[in-house]
Amino acid sequence: MGKEGPLLPERLRKLDLPETAIPTADLRALEERDDVAHVIVLLSIETGFGAVSERFMIQFDDVGYLLENSPQGWEIIEEVDGEDKTEEELLSALASAAREWHAEIAEIASAASGQVFDDETVEAMNIELNQELERKGYGHL
């Protein structure tokens, strides 16, 4: 297992994430841990070895993270404090952060490429998020 970016909190370092994309099945297995409430895959890619994920959310009881794989390893895109939030409220806040990140990615890609990425593009980026929420019984978020 690999090294994480220098700013990952201890809780995430203990997950011992590989430096590169992580198999989706391994991410889902993290939910078996007592300290992990939810893992939501946001960007998976089919490879010859199965599906791997380069972007996901992980929710503990009191905090949630939106993580993305970068050349330096796993990077925290957003940290959501769960204090004074129910499990569902924290998951909802994480889902909102992921949707905002997807919109920001589309803007960055538009500026970099000169192409215009519209709302349909952003919605397409949210397909896995919506499917994962539905799979967990939180489709209303």
Side-chain angles (χ1 to χ4, degrees), residues 32-106:
E32 301 301 316
R33 296 172 54 118
D34 290 338
D35 59 337
V36 175
H38 297 288
V39 175
I40 305 286
V41 174
L42 299 172
L43 176 63
S44 62
I45 301 165
E46 261 321 305
T47 70
F49 303 103
V52 297
S53 182
E54 293 189 336
R55 185 181 310 135
F56 71 96
M57 300 180 329
I58 186 163
Q59 178 180 336
F60 298 96
D61 291 338
D62 59 345
V63 67
Y65 299 97
L66 169 58
L67 295 150
E68 184 164 81
N69 198 259
S70 71
Q72 296 78 33
W74 291 97
E75 177 182 349
I76 296 173
I77 302 301
E78 185 78 34
E79 179 177 337
V80 178
D81 184 4
E83 192 173 322
D84 298 327
K85 286 184 177 72
T86 66
E87 179 181 317
E88 186 171 332
E89 288 170 338
L90 179 53
L91 185 58
S92 179
L94 278 169
S96 292
R99 289 182 179 103
E100 288 173 20
W101 178 239
H102 289 159
E104 191 173 325
I105 291 170

Side-chain angles (χ1 to χ4, degrees), residues 12 30 32 62 81 92 102 113 116 126 132:
L12 291 174
L30 290 175
E32 301 301 316
D62 59 345
D81 184 4
S92 179
H102 289 159
S113 69
V116 176
N126 289 325
E132 287 280 293

